[in-house]
Amino acid sequence: MDYVIPAPPVAAVPVRGGGLFPVRRIFCVGRNYAAHAREMGHDPDRDPPFFFTKPADAILTGGADMPYPPATKDLHHEVELVVAIGLGGANIPAADAASHIWGYGVGLDMTRRDVQGEAKKLGRPWDMGKGFDHSAPIGELVRAAELGKYETGHVLLNVNGSERQSGDIADMIWSVPEVISILSGLVRLEPGDLIFTGTPEGVAAVKPGDVLEGLISGLPPLRTKIAG
């Protein structure tokens, strides 16, 4: 095909044991842990699931430093289980969702909280609060076949060696199969899609020099340093 400009590179996430998982789109679930929903001022018993996106090239891999982004003074961390889709589909029943999962990883939904807050106040889109450059650090992916049934697991974020966030996959309001089913009713999922599944309570600001380590049972750790 004759492109009129050079084709952009394909964003990709390393896989444990070798290889790369190409990234098509990144979807994120908002407020999927009850305690986090409450710390953000919402009632988890009444809020239905909702989704937002990040560009595929927002991923940051290999333990690289994350540059502190411009236009914010309140950069927050949100550690999350990431689901990698290997088989596409629309209106996927929750009972069939597992067959669409290629693998799992640890991710950070980094957020310019002040930018997001101003957008919320004005009724504007969150894109610039959530979808900025390098806003999706992610660790190596692990094939679902290596993990078996994956419904529980400790979710932890340390900042400079001290615990900031702690929860369990089992604490999700909407389980991974339910998230896949609901999201696939809104858009057709395709191979290469990533889903960030929500974060436990304890989100807080970070500053240049801080070292973030995300840990989820059974998955390779995610480490990044906030660079000035």
Side-chain angles (χ1 to χ4, degrees):
M1 185 175 293
D2 295 326
Y3 294 112
V4 297
I5 62 171
V10 175
V13 181
V15 174
R16 186 172 72 181
L20 294 170
F21 182 90
V23 180
R24 181 172 183 266
R25 296 176 296 186
I26 300 174
F27 298 98
C28 304
V29 187
R31 304 182 201 129
N32 199 26
Y33 286 75
H36 172 59
R38 293 188 186 99
E39 76 176 351
M40 299 301 291
H42 298 274
D43 183 347
D45 296 324
R46 292 190 298 185
D47 285 348
F50 67 94
F51 303 88
F52 57 92
T53 62
K54 294 176 182 275
D57 63 3
I59 62 169
L60 182 70
T61 63
D65 290 355
M66 178 191 169
Y68 195 95
T72 185
K73 295 181 180 178
D74 197 21
L75 177 66
H76 279 213
H77 56 72
E78 299 188 13
V79 65
E80 314 204 2
L81 175 70
V82 179
V83 175
I85 298 297
L87 175 65
N91 299 307
I92 300 167
D96 297 337
S99 65
H100 293 260
I101 299 172
W102 187 91
Y104 300 92
V106 183
L108 283 167
D109 166 20
M110 301 301 292
T111 303
R112 292 194 281 205
R113 192 70 73 197
D114 45 359
V115 175
Q116 182 196 31
E118 183 67 10
K120 286 181 179 180
K121 184 171 67 175
L122 298 173
R124 295 175 178 171
W126 294 4
D127 298 53
M128 293 301 99
K130 288 286 192 176
F132 52 93
D133 297 338
H134 315 298
S135 61
I138 186 170
E140 288 183 321
L141 297 178
V142 176
R143 292 168 175 82
E146 297 179 26
L147 295 169
K149 199 171 184 179
Y150 199 55
E151 297 176 345
T152 64
H154 190 201
V155 180
L156 178 69
L157 180 75
N158 293 324
V159 177
N160 302 326
S162 297
E163 181 180 301
R164 283 278 190 91
Q165 291 184 262
S166 180
D168 195 282
I169 295 168
D171 296 337
M172 290 182 182
I173 299 170
W174 304 92
S175 68
V176 168
E178 289 171 330
V179 165
I180 291 172
S181 180
I182 295 166
L183 180 57
S184 70
L186 297 169
V187 295
R188 179 181 174 84
L189 295 176
E190 297 291 356
D193 289 342
L194 297 179
I195 305 173
F196 281 58
T197 59
T199 194
E201 66 179 316
V203 300
V206 290
K207 62 185 184 303
D210 285 345
V211 175
L212 282 61
E213 184 180 33
L215 302 163
I216 298 179
S217 302
L219 300 176
L222 162 62
R223 184 183 182 279
T224 188
K225 180 180 179 180
I226 307 299

